[in-house]
Every structure is written in structure tokens, then in C-alpha cells.
Amino acid sequence: MIGIGSALPEHIVSNKDFEAYLDTTDAWIQRRTGIRERRHLNGSIELTDLALEACRNALEDAGRDGADIDHVIVATFTPDRLMPGLAPKLAKLLGTNGAGAIDVNAACAGFLYGLDQSAALIESGRVDLALVVGAEALSRVTDPSDRGTAILFADGAAAVVVEAGEFDHGCSPFVLASDGEHGDLLYAEREERLLRMEGQEVYRHAVERMVEATREALRRADMTVDDVDVLIVHQANQRIIDAAARRLGVPEEKVFANVATIANTSSASVPLALHHAELAGALKPGDTVALAAFGGGFVWGAGILRWKERVHAGA
Ligand code: UT7
């Protein structure tokens, strides 16, 4: 991973804003979720615009331009149009030479699935440079009258540039899994187009699955929890983040979270946290990062990567 960028809508929705029309309080939201505010697209721009800004920032960070990109993977389940997805238009607007372009939907675990796919394409030699994007406008599929979800979900985009090279670690194979048995605990129906969630149940599964998957990812990477410099898990709820870190035995100072100001942006959540961690000085080149995510399906995953590891000379 050689570059990262992100973009957020300008419009800020604070907890207090919900008090005007929902039976909730700023104090409840902060205590039960850790969230203070979130961003919503308010009609002035589309998700494509937001994703484009994130991609341009990531390319600039990587010192590359659009023509270098072979493949664009966008993780999203809230694209501007049902079809085509976001990826082909982004590939065009970025100036790629007709790069492969695909949207993937793995709910809140989408970025991890996309990143693992990009690594596999690169390792097999089919692709040299890939752009992996998490972009989501959950405000479009949130019921404003449902206090259990309206306060949680938000909008944002982030992108990473992934390149081939000879690394000591790079990106080891991710642990990806699913359990369709629980598809009714977090879903959006075709007709209604609104997220419905059994919060407590999802919470319980999210912690257990992310912990299990992270342990397995460490095992596959031949590492222990002591090797982890930074832990970033899906930013769903501060209590979920804390519980997962506690069970894994990762100390607080190694856990990065931005859920307080970003809330739950589904597939954009992990790359947004990665970028904000770097901007905050909490993530440096060479650091070993553990990532985990969990979402509707259920689908989940975890992976270990070395942050912006340098390519060996001659590679
Ligand atoms: O992105 C995919 C993964 N998503 C997640 O991981 C989200 C997982 N779930 C959660 O984050 C939490 O379960 C919630 C934040 C959704 C809810 O928190 P909780 O501590 O699990 O609360 P609860 O569902 O057990 O509800 C406790 C009470 C209920 O009232 P009663 O039945 O005890 O009278 C809820 O109706 O809190 C009530 N409640 C609220 N009260 C004030 C639920 N939402 C709110 C609210 N304000 N916004």
C-alpha cells in the first residue's frame, strides 16, 4: 500500500440535531456509541464526487497518476445509480486507460474484501497497480425516524493505492468469512431501501467474529498480538472497538478510532480510519497494522499488513 486519501461531505450532523425530532439525547448517543457527530451528503454533491476526491488524494500521496492504474475496485452498497456502479465512472474521471473497474458489495466488510482481491490480482501478476476505494452514502438508506440506526450511519469515502513489489511482509492473505444464517439481523429490502438492524445481536456477533478473524489473521501472518503496532477495526461503535481490543489484548494506545466524529460509514470506515490515523501521527511507514471488519450478511474479515512498506531495491 503506497498511498491513501479520503474525503468527507461538508455537512455536519450533530447529536443535538437528532434531539429535535427523535426520542434520543446527545448524552445517550455518546454513552452508548461514542459518536458526537457525523457527515451527510446533502444534495450538493454525489458519492462519485466524494470518491473521486478521495482517489485523487490517494494518487497524489502515492506519487502516481490515473494512467498508472490497472484496476479499480470500489466497495459500496450505496452507489449513485443502481447500475452502473461507481467504479467505471471513477476509472474514467481519474484518467485511467480503460482500467478494469468493479464495485463489490460486502456491506461493512467491503473494503477488506476489495483489498484482499487487489492483493490477489497483484500477487498473481495480473495487475501492477490497483486502486481500492470504500465509498458510502448511508444517509440515503437510513430511516430518519428510527433512533436505533439514524444516529449511527453516515457518509464518507477513502481510497488506497496498492502496488506490486518485493516486501518482507506486504499484505498477508486476509481471513474472509460469512454466515448467511443471520441475514435478517442487518439488511435493507429492495422495496423499502432502508437499513434495519437488531442492534444488540449485531453488536455481539461483531465483537466475536472480528476477534476470531484477527487471531486467525495473525496466525496466518506468523505473528502474535505483540507484533501489532496499530489496530483498526470497523468503526461501528466505540464500545465494539474497545471490547474487541480488550479481548485481543491490544493496549488502548495501539487502537485508533475516529468513530466519535465520523460514525459508521460502512465500507469507507476502515480506510477512513487508516487515513486519519496517519494524519494524526498514529500510523507510520513500516508499522504492522491489524484490520478487522464486520457487516450485514453476515460477512466479516481481518488482515495484517505492513504500512507503506518500501519496495526492496532491484524489485
Ligand atoms: O456496521 C455493521 C455493524 N453494526 C454494528 O455493529 C452496530 C451494532 N449495535 C450497536 O452499536 C448498538 O447495539 C446500538 C447503538 C444500535 C444500540 O445500543 P445498545 O446499547 O445495544 O442498546 P439496545 O439496543 O440494547 O437498547 C437499549 C435501549 C432500548 O430501550 P428499551 O427497550 O430498554 O426501553 C432502545 O430502544 O435504548 C433504546 N435506544 C435508544 N435510546 C435513546 C436505542 N436507540 C436509542 C437512541 N436514543 N438513539
Short mmCIF file of all heavy atoms in Angstrom, two decimals, residues 169-170 214 218 221 223-233 245 248-257 273-274 277-278 281-291 303-309:
data_model
loop_
_atom_site.label_atom_id
_atom_site.label_comp_id
_atom_site.label_asym_id
_atom_site.label_seq_id
_atom_site.Cartn_x
_atom_site.Cartn_y
_atom_site.Cartn_z
N HIS A 169 6.95 -8.20 4.36
CA HIS A 169 5.62 -8.66 4.77
C HIS A 169 4.55 -8.31 3.74
O HIS A 169 3.85 -9.18 3.25
CB HIS A 169 5.24 -8.10 6.15
CG HIS A 169 3.91 -8.62 6.59
ND1 HIS A 169 3.77 -9.83 7.21
CD2 HIS A 169 2.67 -8.11 6.44
CE1 HIS A 169 2.49 -10.06 7.43
NE2 HIS A 169 1.79 -9.03 6.98
N GLY A 170 4.42 -7.03 3.41
CA GLY A 170 3.37 -6.61 2.47
C GLY A 170 2.00 -6.83 3.07
O GLY A 170 1.68 -6.31 4.14
N THR A 214 -9.26 -11.80 13.59
CA THR A 214 -7.97 -11.14 13.78
C THR A 214 -6.94 -12.13 14.32
O THR A 214 -5.78 -12.15 13.89
CB THR A 214 -8.10 -9.93 14.73
OG1 THR A 214 -9.13 -9.08 14.23
CG2 THR A 214 -6.80 -9.15 14.85
N LEU A 218 -3.53 -13.15 12.35
CA LEU A 218 -2.19 -13.09 12.97
C LEU A 218 -1.47 -14.43 12.82
O LEU A 218 -0.29 -14.48 12.49
CB LEU A 218 -2.31 -12.73 14.46
CG LEU A 218 -2.57 -11.25 14.76
CD1 LEU A 218 -3.01 -11.06 16.21
CD2 LEU A 218 -1.33 -10.41 14.47
N ALA A 221 -0.24 -14.84 9.38
CA ALA A 221 0.90 -13.94 9.10
C ALA A 221 2.12 -14.33 9.93
O ALA A 221 3.15 -13.66 9.87
CB ALA A 221 0.50 -12.50 9.40
N MET A 223 2.45 -14.14 13.18
CA MET A 223 2.69 -13.06 14.14
C MET A 223 1.85 -13.28 15.38
O MET A 223 0.92 -14.09 15.37
CB MET A 223 2.28 -11.71 13.53
CG MET A 223 3.19 -11.22 12.43
SD MET A 223 2.66 -9.59 11.89
CE MET A 223 3.85 -9.28 10.61
N THR A 224 2.19 -12.53 16.43
CA THR A 224 1.34 -12.55 17.62
C THR A 224 0.81 -11.14 17.83
O THR A 224 1.23 -10.19 17.15
CB THR A 224 2.13 -12.95 18.89
OG1 THR A 224 2.98 -11.86 19.23
CG2 THR A 224 2.94 -14.22 18.67
N VAL A 225 -0.07 -11.01 18.79
CA VAL A 225 -0.69 -9.72 19.05
C VAL A 225 0.37 -8.67 19.45
O VAL A 225 0.20 -7.47 19.21
CB VAL A 225 -1.82 -9.90 20.09
CG1 VAL A 225 -1.26 -9.98 21.50
CG2 VAL A 225 -2.87 -8.83 19.95
N ASP A 226 1.49 -9.14 19.99
CA ASP A 226 2.55 -8.20 20.39
C ASP A 226 3.22 -7.55 19.18
O ASP A 226 3.88 -6.51 19.31
CB ASP A 226 3.62 -8.92 21.22
CG ASP A 226 3.05 -9.43 22.53
OD1 ASP A 226 2.08 -8.82 23.01
OD2 ASP A 226 3.57 -10.44 23.05
N ASP A 227 3.09 -8.17 18.01
CA ASP A 227 3.68 -7.59 16.79
C ASP A 227 2.85 -6.44 16.23
O ASP A 227 3.31 -5.71 15.36
CB ASP A 227 3.80 -8.67 15.69
CG ASP A 227 4.78 -9.76 16.09
OD1 ASP A 227 5.89 -9.41 16.53
OD2 ASP A 227 4.43 -10.94 15.96
N VAL A 228 1.61 -6.31 16.71
CA VAL A 228 0.71 -5.29 16.15
C VAL A 228 1.06 -3.90 16.70
O VAL A 228 1.12 -3.71 17.91
CB VAL A 228 -0.76 -5.63 16.50
CG1 VAL A 228 -1.70 -4.52 16.05
CG2 VAL A 228 -1.16 -6.96 15.88
N ASP A 229 1.31 -2.97 15.79
CA ASP A 229 1.57 -1.58 16.21
C ASP A 229 0.28 -0.79 16.29
O ASP A 229 0.14 0.09 17.13
CB ASP A 229 2.52 -0.90 15.21
CG ASP A 229 3.88 -1.56 15.17
OD1 ASP A 229 4.48 -1.72 16.25
OD2 ASP A 229 4.32 -1.95 14.07
N VAL A 230 -0.62 -1.05 15.35
CA VAL A 230 -1.89 -0.30 15.31
C VAL A 230 -3.02 -1.27 14.98
O VAL A 230 -2.92 -2.06 14.03
CB VAL A 230 -1.85 0.81 14.23
CG1 VAL A 230 -3.14 1.62 14.25
CG2 VAL A 230 -0.65 1.73 14.42
N LEU A 231 -4.09 -1.19 15.76
CA LEU A 231 -5.29 -2.00 15.48
C LEU A 231 -6.40 -1.06 15.02
O LEU A 231 -6.72 -0.08 15.70
CB LEU A 231 -5.75 -2.73 16.75
CG LEU A 231 -7.11 -3.45 16.65
CD1 LEU A 231 -7.02 -4.68 15.75
CD2 LEU A 231 -7.62 -3.85 18.04
N ILE A 232 -6.96 -1.38 13.85
CA ILE A 232 -8.10 -0.60 13.35
C ILE A 232 -9.22 -1.57 13.03
O ILE A 232 -9.08 -2.44 12.17
CB ILE A 232 -7.71 0.23 12.11
CG1 ILE A 232 -6.77 1.37 12.55
CG2 ILE A 232 -8.96 0.79 11.42
CD1 ILE A 232 -6.30 2.28 11.45
N VAL A 233 -10.32 -1.44 13.76
CA VAL A 233 -11.49 -2.28 13.46
C VAL A 233 -12.60 -1.37 12.95
O VAL A 233 -12.58 -0.15 13.18
CB VAL A 233 -11.95 -3.12 14.67
CG1 VAL A 233 -10.80 -3.93 15.24
CG2 VAL A 233 -12.60 -2.27 15.74
N ALA A 245 -10.69 -4.85 21.16
CA ALA A 245 -9.29 -4.62 21.54
C ALA A 245 -8.97 -5.30 22.87
O ALA A 245 -7.92 -5.94 23.03
CB ALA A 245 -9.02 -3.12 21.63
N LEU A 248 -8.68 -9.03 22.43
CA LEU A 248 -7.46 -9.40 21.71
C LEU A 248 -6.21 -9.15 22.55
O LEU A 248 -5.15 -9.67 22.25
CB LEU A 248 -7.36 -8.59 20.41
CG LEU A 248 -8.24 -9.05 19.27
CD1 LEU A 248 -8.32 -7.98 18.18
CD2 LEU A 248 -7.74 -10.36 18.67
N GLY A 249 -6.36 -8.31 23.57
CA GLY A 249 -5.21 -7.97 24.40
C GLY A 249 -4.34 -6.90 23.77
O GLY A 249 -3.13 -6.84 24.01
N VAL A 250 -4.97 -6.03 22.94
CA VAL A 250 -4.23 -4.91 22.35
C VAL A 250 -4.43 -3.69 23.26
O VAL A 250 -5.57 -3.28 23.51
CB VAL A 250 -4.73 -4.59 20.92
CG1 VAL A 250 -4.01 -3.37 20.35
CG2 VAL A 250 -4.56 -5.80 20.01
N PRO A 251 -3.34 -3.10 23.77
CA PRO A 251 -3.50 -1.96 24.68
C PRO A 251 -4.10 -0.74 23.98
O PRO A 251 -3.93 -0.56 22.76
CB PRO A 251 -2.08 -1.66 25.15
CG PRO A 251 -1.18 -2.35 24.18
CD PRO A 251 -1.94 -3.47 23.56
N GLU A 252 -4.82 0.05 24.78
CA GLU A 252 -5.56 1.23 24.29
C GLU A 252 -4.74 2.13 23.36
O GLU A 252 -5.23 2.61 22.35
CB GLU A 252 -5.95 2.05 25.51
CG GLU A 252 -7.31 2.67 25.47
CD GLU A 252 -7.60 3.35 26.79
OE1 GLU A 252 -7.79 2.65 27.82
OE2 GLU A 252 -7.57 4.58 26.79
N GLU A 253 -3.46 2.32 23.73
CA GLU A 253 -2.64 3.28 22.96
C GLU A 253 -2.32 2.77 21.55
O GLU A 253 -1.86 3.53 20.70
CB GLU A 253 -1.37 3.67 23.72
CG GLU A 253 -0.40 2.54 24.04
CD GLU A 253 -0.75 1.79 25.34
OE1 GLU A 253 -1.87 1.96 25.85
OE2 GLU A 253 0.11 1.01 25.79
N LYS A 254 -2.59 1.49 21.28
CA LYS A 254 -2.35 0.97 19.93
C LYS A 254 -3.63 0.89 19.11
O LYS A 254 -3.61 0.38 17.99
CB LYS A 254 -1.74 -0.43 20.02
CG LYS A 254 -0.30 -0.45 20.54
CD LYS A 254 0.23 -1.86 20.46
CE LYS A 254 1.71 -1.90 20.81
NZ LYS A 254 2.25 -3.26 20.67
N VAL A 255 -4.73 1.35 19.67
CA VAL A 255 -6.02 1.26 18.98
C VAL A 255 -6.38 2.64 18.44
O VAL A 255 -6.42 3.61 19.20
CB VAL A 255 -7.13 0.78 19.94
CG1 VAL A 255 -8.45 0.62 19.19
CG2 VAL A 255 -6.72 -0.51 20.61
N PHE A 256 -6.61 2.73 17.13
CA PHE A 256 -7.04 4.02 16.60
C PHE A 256 -8.53 3.99 16.33
O PHE A 256 -9.07 3.03 15.78
CB PHE A 256 -6.29 4.38 15.31
CG PHE A 256 -6.67 5.75 14.82
CD1 PHE A 256 -6.07 6.88 15.36
CD2 PHE A 256 -7.68 5.92 13.88
CE1 PHE A 256 -6.45 8.15 14.96
CE2 PHE A 256 -8.07 7.20 13.47
CZ PHE A 256 -7.44 8.31 14.01
N ALA A 257 -9.21 5.10 16.69
CA ALA A 257 -10.65 5.21 16.43
C ALA A 257 -10.99 6.64 16.02
O ALA A 257 -10.42 7.60 16.57
CB ALA A 257 -11.44 4.82 17.67
N ALA A 273 -10.40 5.43 8.70
CA ALA A 273 -9.65 5.36 9.96
C ALA A 273 -8.15 5.25 9.69
O ALA A 273 -7.34 5.87 10.38
CB ALA A 273 -10.15 4.19 10.80
N LEU A 274 -7.78 4.48 8.66
CA LEU A 274 -6.36 4.38 8.31
C LEU A 274 -5.78 5.75 7.96
O LEU A 274 -4.71 6.14 8.43
CB LEU A 274 -6.18 3.44 7.10
CG LEU A 274 -6.16 1.94 7.37
CD1 LEU A 274 -6.29 1.16 6.07
CD2 LEU A 274 -4.89 1.52 8.11
N ALA A 277 -5.65 7.97 10.98
CA ALA A 277 -4.57 7.52 11.88
C ALA A 277 -3.23 8.06 11.39
O ALA A 277 -2.41 8.56 12.17
CB ALA A 277 -4.54 6.00 11.94
N GLU A 278 -3.03 8.00 10.07
CA GLU A 278 -1.76 8.51 9.53
C GLU A 278 -1.65 10.02 9.75
O GLU A 278 -0.61 10.52 10.17
CB GLU A 278 -1.63 8.17 8.05
CG GLU A 278 -0.28 8.57 7.50
CD GLU A 278 -0.09 8.18 6.05
OE1 GLU A 278 -0.66 8.85 5.16
OE2 GLU A 278 0.63 7.21 5.81
N GLY A 281 -0.60 11.00 13.10
CA GLY A 281 0.74 10.55 13.52
C GLY A 281 0.70 9.22 14.27
O GLY A 281 1.69 8.80 14.86
N ALA A 282 -0.46 8.53 14.22
CA ALA A 282 -0.59 7.27 14.94
C ALA A 282 -0.19 6.07 14.08
O ALA A 282 -0.16 4.94 14.56
CB ALA A 282 -2.03 7.09 15.43
N LEU A 283 0.08 6.32 12.81
CA LEU A 283 0.41 5.24 11.87
C LEU A 283 1.57 5.71 10.99
O LEU A 283 1.45 6.71 10.29
CB LEU A 283 -0.84 4.94 11.02
CG LEU A 283 -0.76 3.85 9.97
CD1 LEU A 283 -0.37 2.52 10.60
CD2 LEU A 283 -2.12 3.71 9.29
N LYS A 284 2.69 4.96 11.07
CA LYS A 284 3.89 5.39 10.35
C LYS A 284 4.37 4.30 9.40
O LYS A 284 4.10 3.12 9.63
CB LYS A 284 4.99 5.72 11.36
CG LYS A 284 4.66 6.94 12.23
CD LYS A 284 5.67 7.18 13.32
CE LYS A 284 5.59 6.21 14.47
NZ LYS A 284 4.29 6.10 15.14
N PRO A 285 5.10 4.69 8.35
CA PRO A 285 5.62 3.69 7.43
C PRO A 285 6.38 2.59 8.19
O PRO A 285 7.15 2.89 9.11
CB PRO A 285 6.58 4.49 6.54
CG PRO A 285 6.02 5.87 6.56
CD PRO A 285 5.45 6.06 7.94
N GLY A 286 6.11 1.35 7.83
CA GLY A 286 6.77 0.23 8.49
C GLY A 286 5.96 -0.37 9.63
O GLY A 286 6.27 -1.47 10.10
N ASP A 287 4.93 0.35 10.08
CA ASP A 287 4.10 -0.19 11.17
C ASP A 287 3.34 -1.43 10.71
O ASP A 287 2.90 -1.51 9.56
CB ASP A 287 3.06 0.85 11.64
CG ASP A 287 3.66 1.87 12.60
OD1 ASP A 287 4.81 1.68 13.04
OD2 ASP A 287 2.96 2.86 12.90
N THR A 288 3.14 -2.35 11.64
CA THR A 288 2.29 -3.52 11.38
C THR A 288 0.88 -3.18 11.83
O THR A 288 0.66 -2.82 12.99
CB THR A 288 2.82 -4.75 12.15
OG1 THR A 288 4.12 -5.04 11.64
CG2 THR A 288 1.91 -5.95 11.95
N VAL A 289 -0.05 -3.25 10.87
CA VAL A 289 -1.44 -2.87 11.15
C VAL A 289 -2.33 -4.10 11.09
O VAL A 289 -2.25 -4.88 10.15
CB VAL A 289 -1.97 -1.87 10.09
CG1 VAL A 289 -3.28 -1.23 10.56
CG2 VAL A 289 -0.95 -0.82 9.76
N ALA A 290 -3.18 -4.25 12.09
CA ALA A 290 -4.21 -5.29 12.06
C ALA A 290 -5.54 -4.63 11.74
O ALA A 290 -5.92 -3.63 12.38
CB ALA A 290 -4.28 -6.01 13.40
N LEU A 291 -6.24 -5.17 10.73
CA LEU A 291 -7.54 -4.62 10.32
C LEU A 291 -8.61 -5.68 10.53
O LEU A 291 -8.38 -6.86 10.27
CB LEU A 291 -7.52 -4.26 8.83
CG LEU A 291 -6.48 -3.25 8.35
CD1 LEU A 291 -6.59 -3.09 6.83
CD2 LEU A 291 -6.67 -1.91 9.04
N GLY A 303 -7.16 -8.78 8.50
CA GLY A 303 -5.91 -8.95 7.78
C GLY A 303 -4.79 -8.14 8.43
O GLY A 303 -5.05 -7.19 9.17
N ILE A 304 -3.57 -8.58 8.15
CA ILE A 304 -2.39 -7.90 8.70
C ILE A 304 -1.59 -7.34 7.53
O ILE A 304 -1.33 -8.06 6.56
CB ILE A 304 -1.48 -8.90 9.47
CG1 ILE A 304 -2.30 -9.79 10.43
CG2 ILE A 304 -0.34 -8.17 10.19
CD1 ILE A 304 -3.01 -9.08 11.54
N LEU A 305 -1.22 -6.07 7.63
CA LEU A 305 -0.37 -5.54 6.56
C LEU A 305 0.69 -4.62 7.14
O LEU A 305 0.55 -4.13 8.26
CB LEU A 305 -1.20 -4.82 5.50
CG LEU A 305 -2.13 -3.70 5.92
CD1 LEU A 305 -1.43 -2.36 5.81
CD2 LEU A 305 -3.36 -3.73 5.04
N ARG A 306 1.74 -4.45 6.35
CA ARG A 306 2.79 -3.52 6.78
C ARG A 306 2.57 -2.21 6.04
O ARG A 306 2.50 -2.17 4.81
CB ARG A 306 4.17 -4.09 6.51
CG ARG A 306 5.24 -3.27 7.16
CD ARG A 306 6.42 -4.09 7.61
NE ARG A 306 6.14 -5.00 8.71
CZ ARG A 306 6.79 -6.15 8.90
NH1 ARG A 306 7.74 -6.50 8.10
NH2 ARG A 306 6.50 -6.91 9.93
N TRP A 307 2.42 -1.14 6.83
CA TRP A 307 2.02 0.14 6.30
C TRP A 307 3.10 0.79 5.44
O TRP A 307 4.21 1.03 5.90
CB TRP A 307 1.65 1.09 7.46
CG TRP A 307 1.06 2.38 7.00
CD1 TRP A 307 1.61 3.63 7.10
CD2 TRP A 307 -0.20 2.55 6.34
NE1 TRP A 307 0.77 4.55 6.55
CE2 TRP A 307 -0.34 3.92 6.08
CE3 TRP A 307 -1.21 1.66 5.95
CZ2 TRP A 307 -1.47 4.43 5.43
CZ3 TRP A 307 -2.32 2.17 5.31
CH2 TRP A 307 -2.44 3.55 5.06
N LYS A 308 2.76 1.03 4.18
CA LYS A 308 3.66 1.73 3.25
C LYS A 308 5.09 1.18 3.30
O LYS A 308 6.07 1.93 3.29
CB LYS A 308 3.65 3.24 3.52
CG LYS A 308 2.31 3.87 3.17
CD LYS A 308 2.32 5.37 3.28
CE LYS A 308 1.02 5.98 2.77
NZ LYS A 308 0.92 7.41 3.01
N GLU A 309 5.17 -0.15 3.38
CA GLU A 309 6.48 -0.80 3.38
C GLU A 309 7.21 -0.46 2.08
O GLU A 309 6.59 -0.40 1.02
CB GLU A 309 6.27 -2.32 3.48
CG GLU A 309 7.55 -3.09 3.66
CD GLU A 309 7.30 -4.60 3.82
OE1 GLU A 309 6.13 -5.00 3.93
OE2 GLU A 309 8.28 -5.34 3.82
#
